[in-house]
Amino acid sequence: MTTSANTPARIFLTGATGYIGSAIAHGLLEDGYEVLGLARSDAAAETLRQRGISVHCGDLTDLDSLAAGAQAAGGVIHTAFVHDFSRYEEINRIERRAVEAMAEALEGSGKTFVATSATTVLVPGQLGTEDDAAAPSSPGYVRAASEAALPASQRGVRASVVRLPPSVHGPGDTAFVPALIAIARQTGISGFVEEGENRWAAVHRLDAARLFRLVFEKAEAGTAWHGVAEEGIPMRRIAETIAEGLGIPARSIPVSEAADHFGWLAGFVQIDNPASSALTRERIGWRPREADLLTDIRDSGYFS
């Protein structure tokens, strides 16, 4: 993808060394884009250089740096996030200010801004769609700060959000599934809460990365998109797959004991977050093609 002959479009990518961001960066480079990656350390900067990515120093609390990165590129894909849910209010403020700083820097430019949100911002217990707004009562509402990008579509920015499900899986995963496996190893039990009927939507990392590129190129301003390959996998099935991989029992954990058993993960393990990507597939032509979550858990080195 190029803006003119022999002139690659430049995209400012936050989270460029991260699990999802690195996959997005790889795909963008293959497609002929120039990537300007946000680096918060010398080590991150060196990693970016080795991957052929230009370096922009800063972090999510350095609003001037974020604005400068946005202005220096033809568009922005924002995937960076402070994954410390013990600081719920603080990380919410950091995310909102970061999104607003980049959106403000792009005002009136017509440039593209794709932010990363989560399906957990939607009303729990019902199948969420792309047309649903974030619900303040949702257990994952902290990621709704990312949706502050959408109002920028009224101020001359082609802004949109990609909502990702609780499990973005694949080799190199360091998020919820590996945390569940670590707890299961430690306790000797692969647990689920009560009947384990609550559901997690899921997507493979590489399918998610392809969606970001499609949204950057094709999305209309003010739209939300769902990177969801599987609408809802019961937590009991996830726990049973982990139990099989470790050779331990899967067992129901009473809700009264969930906090003690799962620690910081207790709230996420109880989320019922089915989500649809039907409109994303119809409107933008995205088609997931990688392994499903349970197959990935069994076959992609999660137990190594």
Side-chain angles (χ1 to χ4, degrees):
M1 178 70 181
T2 55
T3 53
S4 61
N6 302 316
T7 306
R10 176 185 253 199
I11 297 176
F12 180 45
L13 175 63
T14 73
T17 60
Y19 177 61
I20 298 170
S22 60
I24 295 171
H26 180 76
L28 291 173
L29 292 171
E30 284 194 330
D31 286 351
Y33 287 98
E34 178 186 348
V35 179
L36 178 65
L38 182 68
R40 62 180 179 178
S41 68
D42 291 343
E46 181 58 27
T47 296
L48 293 179
R49 293 188 188 99
Q50 291 177 359
R51 295 174 180 173
I53 298 170
S54 302
V55 174
H56 181 81
C57 295
D59 60 40
L60 293 186
T61 64
D62 186 346
L63 303 186
D64 289 340
S65 176
L66 293 176
Q71 291 171 339
V76 176
I77 296 178
H78 171 50
T79 67
F81 189 72
V82 180
H83 290 92
D84 182 357
F85 295 101
S86 67
R87 300 156 55 201
Y88 183 96
E89 296 297 336
E90 182 183 356
I91 64 174
N92 188 51
R93 287 193 297 271
I94 290 171
E95 177 68 5
R96 181 172 292 277
R97 289 169 180 167
V99 167
E100 290 176 344
M102 288 184 283
E104 182 177 347
L106 296 177
E107 281 188 16
S109 68
K111 293 180 181 180
T112 300
F113 182 21
V114 183
T116 307
S117 184
T119 59
T120 53
V121 305
L122 304 176
V123 175
Q126 64 184 43
L127 189 66
T129 78
E130 295 87 337
D131 290 341
D132 293 334
S137 61
S138 69
Y141 192 69
V142 62
R143 286 309 298 260
S146 307
E147 306 218 353
L150 292 177
S153 62
Q154 305 300 316
R155 303 191 300 273
V157 182
R158 191 163 69 93
S160 57
V161 297
V162 174
R163 294 171 179 158
L164 297 176
S167 179
V168 181
H169 57 89
D173 186 359
T174 59
F176 293 153
V177 169
L180 286 172
I181 291 172
I183 292 168
R185 287 187 194 276
Q186 179 181 0
T187 62
I189 297 168
S190 182
F192 51 90
V193 178
E194 299 295 349
E195 298 301 317
E197 294 178 351
N198 61 299
R199 298 151 291 178
W200 275 8
V203 69
H204 193 282
R205 166 181 177 248
L206 298 182
D207 284 325
R210 282 189 285 271
L211 177 59
F212 274 94
R213 300 200 299 278
L214 279 173
V215 169
F216 186 88
E217 293 170 355
K218 297 182 178 181
E220 295 181 2
T223 52
W225 306 88
H226 282 187
V228 172
E230 297 175 88
E231 291 187 349
I233 306 156
M235 280 302 304
R236 181 168 189 150
R237 291 189 63 199
I238 296 172
E240 289 171 346
T241 301
I242 291 172
E244 292 170 7
L246 295 176
I248 61 176
R251 187 174 301 170
S252 173
I253 306 298
V255 68
S256 60
E257 299 175 13
D260 287 338
H261 184 84
F262 293 105
W264 67 270
L265 196 56
F268 294 100
V269 171
Q270 298 177 72
I271 287 175
D272 187 27
N273 183 232
S276 169
S277 61
L279 296 178
T280 295
R281 300 181 196 217
E282 174 188 340
R283 293 170 178 172
I284 211 167
W286 178 64
R287 295 290 182 271
R289 59 188 189 220
E290 305 295 335
D292 63 85
L293 174 60
L294 300 185
T295 299
D296 218 15
I297 292 174
R298 288 190 291 263
D299 299 343
S300 294
Y302 274 90
F303 303 109
S304 299

